[in-house]
Amino acid sequence: KFSDAGLARGTMVLGEIEKLAAGGLTLCEGGISLADLFLLPISEYVGMMPPGAAALAALPKLSAWAAGMATRPSVVATRPSLG
C-alpha cells in the first residue's frame, strides 16, 4: 500500500529522473546503461500499483522509456512471474 507521503516523495524522484532522461529508449544518450538496468525493476514494481502507474503515466519520457525497455528480449526473458 502506498502512503501519501511516500507517493509524494516517489513522484518527486521520478519527476527529477524525467528531467534528466534523454527521451528515447534509453535514459542516457548512447545506449543502454547501468541507469536503465537499475531503474527498470523499480519502475516495473511501482507501475504494478495504481498510484504508481498513474505517476509514471504523467511522465512522457519515462513512460516511453519503460515501454521500450519492456520489449527488450533480455527483459522479457528475465521478467519474474509474480502470479
Side-chain angles (χ1 to χ4, degrees), residues 30-59:
I32 196 165
S33 68
L34 285 175
D36 298 289
L37 301 176
F38 282 118
L39 185 59
L40 179 63
I42 295 166
S43 68
E44 288 206 350
Y45 289 125
V46 167
M48 289 178 185
M49 304 285 267
L56 286 170
L59 303 167

